[in-house]
Amino acid sequence: MKFGAAFGNVDMGLDWPVIRRLVQELETAGFDGISTNDHVIGGHPDRAEGERVHTSATGVHEPLVFLSFIAAVTERVELATGVLLLPQRQTTLAAKQCAELDLLSGGRLRLGVGIGRNWMEYEALNEEFANRGRRIEEQVEILRRYWTDEHVTYEGQWHRLDRVGLNPMPVQRPIPIWMGSFFGFVSERVLERIGRMADGWMPQFPPADLEPILERVKGYARGAGRDPAELGIECAIRTRPDDDPSRWVDLAEAYRDLGATHLKVFAAGDTPADIVALMRRWLDAVGPAVATD
């Protein structure tokens, strides 16, 4: 099992020397990866109309730029998006940006993608919200083509490419593409897409709820002619300073027993340094228990 430190919004702050020091501290502590989320823009809170969506009240680092900075000040940790909202971005530009990040990091990118639920972002980025689920499938196919073929010709519903290619290419050919799903909500269409297309899944369910859903995803993978054992699974544990570490260990063991290949931690704290300190406590408790039990 690989262990990741997950940062949402601006948990790491805005001071680049502090960010550099803290991500280097996480790498030294033994974390295998660092991940971050994606929101390009937020609308006025009044526009949310009670929906649970990102607004301008919350700051978020641009994930590919943020991970590029982290790549430059680290040597080993994997760089992951959890997740990049792919349908609100131009596919060819995303392919280029990800290829460059993978190249300059020495092949450390793991691209988590999702469709999101914030119509305000799609509106601001001039992309269609209603068909985002169908478009992401075409996008994933094209990304993999860009990252493996010298020239790409493609005729789809939303993309028309005539003998075009990236230069330079990424180290990984192709870059692994994982898919996310919304917390606590089960969409059968999303589960089928994950089983059929994704290199891995980033579920957001407690172990007891995850087990039957995971079996459905594996069934979709088998139905697509894939080996379910090759599907990566990244689960998450949310922590607070007053937690009993035994709770973290119990959850980690439960996820491991379900076949999780990756486990990441979200931490609460008053400062970025507090968050990183709690993440290190979590790894110290969970790492040996999962590895030796």
Side-chain angles (χ1 to χ4, degrees):
M1 180 179 284
K2 294 184 177 181
F3 299 103
F7 293 97
N9 306 329
V10 288
D11 288 347
M12 291 292 276
L14 305 176
D15 189 341
W16 71 263
V18 172
I19 296 172
R20 176 182 59 188
R21 175 174 58 82
L22 293 177
V23 298
Q24 290 173 340
E25 183 178 332
L26 289 168
E27 184 171 59
T28 300
F31 276 91
D32 298 300
I34 294 173
S35 65
T36 191
N37 65 332
D38 175 30
H39 287 295
V40 174
I41 201 166
H44 190 284
D46 289 349
R47 298 194 67 198
E49 299 175 346
E51 296 181 61
R52 190 178 173 186
V53 295
H54 171 75
T55 70
S56 59
T58 302
V60 181
H61 287 295
E62 201 292 315
L64 298 180
V65 176
F66 186 56
L67 292 176
S68 295
F69 172 79
I70 294 174
V73 299
T74 58
E75 297 180 357
R76 177 187 56 78
V77 287
E78 180 185 63
L79 312 162
T81 55
V83 293
L84 188 81
L85 302 177
L86 188 59
Q88 66 184 27
R89 295 170 178 258
Q90 294 175 318
T91 310
T92 298
L93 180 58
K96 178 70 172 183
Q97 291 170 321
C98 291
E100 190 76 3
L101 173 53
D102 190 68
L103 175 68
L104 296 180
S105 67
R108 289 191 276 155
L109 177 61
R110 176 163 57 99
L111 183 66
V113 300
I115 63 173
R117 61 190 185 279
N118 191 341
W119 52 271
M120 289 180 281
E121 286 192 88
Y122 279 82
E123 177 187 83
L125 291 163
N126 197 32
E127 295 290 346
E128 178 61 43
F129 182 76
N131 63 16
R132 66 198 191 283
R134 287 172 289 150
R135 280 193 295 114
I136 198 173
E137 298 193 10
E138 197 165 292
Q139 289 183 293
V140 167
E141 183 180 352
I142 291 170
L143 289 179
R144 287 174 172 150
R145 292 278 305 278
Y146 268 132
W147 297 331
T148 54
D149 299 348
E150 182 179 4
H151 292 101
V152 178
T153 296
Y154 186 93
E155 184 76 21
Q157 187 171 355
W158 294 283
H159 299 81
R160 289 168 178 80
L161 307 173
D162 181 11
R163 295 165 295 173
V164 293
L166 298 179
N167 189 359
M169 295 282 274
V171 173
Q172 302 179 94
R173 302 190 185 182
I175 296 166
I177 298 178
W178 290 44
M179 291 185 179
S181 54
F182 181 50
F183 176 77
F185 178 75
V186 179
S187 167
E188 211 63 29
R189 181 178 296 177
V190 171
L191 299 183
E192 188 276 334
R193 182 184 302 133
I194 292 165
R196 173 167 47 88
M197 300 191 72
D199 294 309
W201 181 29
M202 300 170 171
Q204 300 184 69
F205 300 96
D209 294 341
L210 176 61
E211 186 171 10
I213 301 170
L214 181 56
E215 287 306 311
R216 301 215 297 274
V217 172
K218 290 179 178 179
Y220 287 126
R222 282 189 289 267
R226 305 179 65 195
D227 180 358
E230 295 180 357
L231 183 71
I233 304 293
E234 180 176 70
C235 299
I237 295 178
R238 296 183 180 273
T239 62
R240 301 189 64 82
D242 58 354
D243 279 348
D244 181 348
S246 65
R247 182 184 76 87
W248 306 338
V249 172
D250 290 345
L251 282 171
E253 291 176 339
Y255 283 129
R256 177 203 60 195
D257 293 344
L258 287 174
T261 57
H262 296 63
L263 189 62
K264 62 186 176 185
V265 60
F266 290 91
D270 293 330
T271 68
D274 292 339
I275 290 171
V276 168
L278 183 54
M279 288 177 164
R280 295 188 62 175
R281 281 180 52 205
W282 175 86
L283 184 62
D284 288 341
V286 166
V290 171
T292 60
D293 189 11

